[in-house]
Amino acid sequence: MSTVVETPRIEERPNYLNEEYGWKSWLLTTDHKRIAILYLISITLMFFVGGIFAVLMRVELLTPQGDFVSSDTYNKFFSMHGIIMVFFFLVPSIPATLGNFLVPMMVGAKDLAFPRINLLSWYIYIVGALFALGAVIFGGVDTGWTFYTPYSSTYSNTYVIAAALGVFVAGFSSILTGLNFIVTVHKMRAPGLTWGRLPLFVWAQYATALIQVLGTPVIAITTALLALERFFHIGIFDPAIGGDPVLFQHLFWFYSHPAVYIMILPGMGVISELVTCFSRKAAFGYSFIAGSSIGIAVLGFLVWGHHLFVAGISMYSGMYFSLLSFAVAVPSAIKVFNWTATMFRGSISYETPMLYAFGFIGLFTIGGLTGLFLATLGIDIHVTDTYFVIAHFHYVMVGGMVMAYLGGLHFWWPKMTGRMYPEGWAKFAALLVFAGFNLTFFPQFILGYMGMPRRYHAYAPEFQVLNVMSTAGASILGLGYVIPLIYMFWSLRYGPKAPKNPWGAKGLEWEAESPPPKFNFDQTPVVREPAYAYAEEDQVG
């Protein structure tokens, strides 16, 4: 007679993922962490939709003849790529996912200040995305992501209103998210968490939220005026009936240049967390890094005119905006220098998130320095509307923001899911992204300087070699984006269980379990030390 000994079953600790089950528990949730996951799924889908258009563009540009698609179709490719990537991925990416998940935990709160408004913001985002996808399905838009008038308001026969309405609606999602962050940071900080102890990620989200609340209404008004002009021809932007097309550019860029900082500031906050953690050191010049986030938010509203240097603004306006464009580089440079000083004599470890941080610092520095070229009036006139501008923008947005987003996602993935990903594959993907990105976009600086215009589907034969290099790099870059998608899905089921704090990082979010319980903390935490109080023995003497 044999005896079977039954192993006692260990009950899994309740957390935000297993507290409730079923699709209703997700679609009606007010838990900031679940809403962050909903955003993560949504923006990932939009990222790959926008990426498909990028792939199609690069295939067209393999040959100089323009023999893959017609010029009209190519116009729709770059327009939909820009609209989807900017308004439905870059703008919401870090605030709506990592920000939503982490800000309440980092300040020691149980949730955001307005949980129902937080859920509403996701539904508003989905409605806006559906309008944009509807424009894609029914024929696309050919105005470029900037919707410049009078072409967009009078002459285009594509689905301009559907795409503009999608941007209009999604703007309200951005406003509500920013409002939630501002109130949460002001009113719901844990005892002892003074402004001087806030994580730099929270400072960056707070500065971003100010731009979201103050700047986004301008793009909403601008797209509404565009719709009125297109439907009723009332003469706001049409010079034939007394309007001014340059007025549209002023309105559009008054939002859209600060929007660049909505995209990049949260990424800078992520890099501050990664550099301090994997250098085992407190942030060098903490107050300067925090203050520079606010400085970028303020100065970002004053430099929109550098997009209009060749649009007919006066010489004096051009000089004013040129000087301010140089000035806005200062707070960004402060961050880069302070991150470098933080790493100096630190005990640096080379986990995947830190590799993305290195990539961010290098690529963002190139993007920032080439921005100074574009702020210089004489050089800007030469390279305006060439591939130089494309390269600069992508070095800041993709080389900067997307690298930071991936670094942050890898850093907090164990906290979000309770699982670890395969470190070897993650490092390989990080190197692929870095190499593929540079091979894609660095040749475009040369193309732009040589005079190749952007938005052309056919080009002079002498530009083909650099375009082939760029397309080859895009293939590598695309693979670098797909690999993390695969191994992160794999990790959800097969990844090793994550400890509470796998990196030995500082911050209240690491005091919660992995994954966290529904209300983040079993009891309200109390902060008794400054931010990033790493022990001296962790550092290289």
Side-chain angles (χ1 to χ4, degrees):
M1 177 178 169
S2 60
T3 305
V4 177
V5 179
E6 190 172 323
T7 306
R9 187 176 177 181
I10 300 172
E11 290 291 326
E12 191 174 358
R13 192 178 190 277
N15 59 65
Y16 81 99
L17 292 171
N18 65 17
E19 189 88 19
E20 299 175 276
Y21 291 99
W23 62 270
K24 282 187 179 179
S25 71
W26 281 88
L27 296 182
L28 300 178
T29 186
T30 54
D31 185 347
H32 68 99
K33 299 179 291 299
R34 284 194 167 202
I35 294 168
I37 300 299
L38 292 174
Y39 266 117
L40 177 62
I41 295 168
S42 307
I43 70 164
T44 300
L45 289 173
M46 296 303 283
F47 174 78
F48 281 100
V49 171
I52 289 169
F53 288 111
V55 169
L56 293 172
M57 281 190 290
R58 290 313 320 169
V59 171
E60 169 59 82
L61 293 170
L62 266 174
T63 57
Q65 292 83 18
D67 47 8
F68 177 56
V69 294
S70 68
S71 57
D72 287 341
T73 303
Y74 184 79
N75 289 348
K76 293 175 182 177
F77 284 173
F78 70 69
S79 300
M80 295 312 304
H81 168 70
I83 290 167
I84 289 173
M85 283 301 203
V86 170
F87 296 111
F88 298 98
F89 174 70
L90 290 170
V91 168
S93 56
I94 293 179
T97 55
L98 298 178
N100 242 326
F101 194 96
L102 294 165
V103 166
M105 297 178 68
M106 284 184 162
V107 301
K110 291 183 176 180
D111 208 315
L112 285 170
F114 307 114
R116 289 183 177 85
I117 288 179
N118 193 24
L119 177 62
L120 176 64
S121 72
W122 177 72
Y123 275 106
I124 291 172
Y125 170 84
I126 292 297
V127 171
L130 289 174
F131 274 110
L133 292 174
V136 172
I137 293 166
F138 291 110
V141 182
D142 66 351
T143 61
W145 74 275
T146 53
F147 297 106
Y148 273 2
T149 58
Y151 181 69
S152 62
S153 59
T154 306
Y155 302 107
S156 176
N157 295 319
T158 56
Y159 289 85
V160 176
I161 294 300
L165 190 58
V167 173
F168 177 86
V169 172
F172 288 94
S173 171
S174 188
I175 293 169
L176 294 178
T177 300
L179 177 67
N180 234 334
F181 286 172
I182 290 171
V183 177
T184 301
V185 172
H186 272 275
K187 295 295 185 181
M188 301 179 69
R189 300 194 308 278
L193 187 60
T194 61
W195 286 94
R197 291 177 172 177
L198 276 179
L200 291 167
F201 179 82
V202 176
W203 271 108
Q205 293 295 336
Y206 180 77
T208 303
L210 294 175
I211 304 174
Q212 289 174 306
V213 171
L214 296 174
T216 310
V218 178
I219 194 68
I221 293 166
T222 306
T223 52
L225 291 175
L226 172 61
L228 287 173
E229 179 83 336
R230 191 167 171 87
F231 280 132
F232 303 111
H233 304 289
I234 54 181
I236 305 170
F237 305 123
D238 187 353
I241 49 177
D244 183 2
V246 178
L247 172 62
F248 177 88
Q249 294 188 38
H250 279 288
L251 291 171
F252 181 86
W253 288 112
F254 184 79
Y255 162 76
S256 293
H257 195 83
V260 169
Y261 302 112
I262 294 177
M263 304 176 218
I264 199 66
L265 262 174
M268 292 172 163
V270 169
I271 299 306
S272 295
E273 300 296 322
L274 301 185
V275 167
T276 52
C277 174
F278 294 105
S279 300
R280 320 306 299 168
K281 278 182 67 181
F284 179 88
Y286 166 92
S287 58
F288 282 92
I289 299 177
S292 67
S293 294
I294 305 299
I296 288 172
V298 172
L299 287 171
F301 280 102
L302 305 177
V303 297
W304 79 91
H306 66 223
H307 295 276
L308 285 80
F309 283 161
V310 296
I313 61 173
S314 73
M315 180 182 69
Y316 296 105
S317 295
M319 292 170 64
Y320 162 81
F321 283 117
S322 177
L323 289 171
L324 282 174
S325 299
F326 278 99
V328 80
V330 173
S332 298
I334 286 171
K335 290 181 182 294
V336 173
F337 288 131
N338 283 28
W339 293 328
T340 307
T342 302
M343 288 187 281
F344 178 66
R345 299 176 74 86
S347 181
I348 297 175
S349 54
Y350 297 94
E351 277 84 359
T352 302
M354 191 61 169
L355 296 184
Y356 281 109
F358 285 137
F360 174 99
I361 293 171
L363 300 179
F364 176 75
T365 300
I366 293 172
L369 289 173
T370 52
L372 299 180
F373 285 53
L374 296 172
T376 307
L377 285 162
I379 298 176
D380 183 81
I381 290 169
H382 173 63
V383 297
T384 286
D385 281 335
T386 70
Y387 266 84
F388 191 95
V389 177
I390 300 290
H392 158 73
F393 183 82
H394 284 81
Y395 263 85
V396 174
M397 290 297 100
V398 183
M401 201 295 299
V402 177
M403 293 290 277
Y405 175 67
L406 289 172
L409 201 58
H410 284 80
F411 186 56
W412 284 292
W413 186 257
K415 183 60 60 180
M416 297 168 75
T417 65
R419 299 282 181 172
M420 300 298 293
Y421 49 81
E423 183 71 15
W425 278 105
K427 288 182 175 179
F428 176 66
L431 293 173
L432 270 187
V433 169
F434 183 80
F437 175 85
N438 280 291
L439 186 57
T440 303
F441 292 106
F442 195 83
Q444 295 180 13
F445 281 125
I446 303 169
L447 284 169
Y449 184 76
M450 290 169 65
M452 179 174 169
R454 61 179 177 173
R455 300 180 173 179
Y456 279 39
H457 83 308
Y459 54 86
E462 58 264 31
F463 298 140
Q464 184 174 11
V465 172
L466 291 169
N467 272 295
V468 170
M469 289 174 62
S470 196
T471 299
S475 305
I476 298 170
L477 182 61
L479 183 62
Y481 289 146
V482 170
I483 290 174
L485 185 70
I486 295 170
Y487 66 65
M488 283 180 160
F489 265 119
W490 176 89
S491 75
L492 294 176
R493 185 173 181 86
Y494 301 106
K497 288 195 174 181
K500 182 188 289 189
N501 189 353
W503 315 116
K506 297 292 184 179
L508 292 180
E509 76 272 25
W510 298 107
E511 294 184 13
E513 296 296 325
S514 298
K518 184 174 182 179
F519 294 109
N520 300 338
F521 305 99
D522 295 327
Q523 56 188 17
T524 303
V526 178
V527 179
R528 294 187 173 88
E529 61 183 20
Y532 315 114
Y534 289 99
E536 288 187 11
E537 58 267 20
D538 289 339
Q539 300 163 25
V540 176

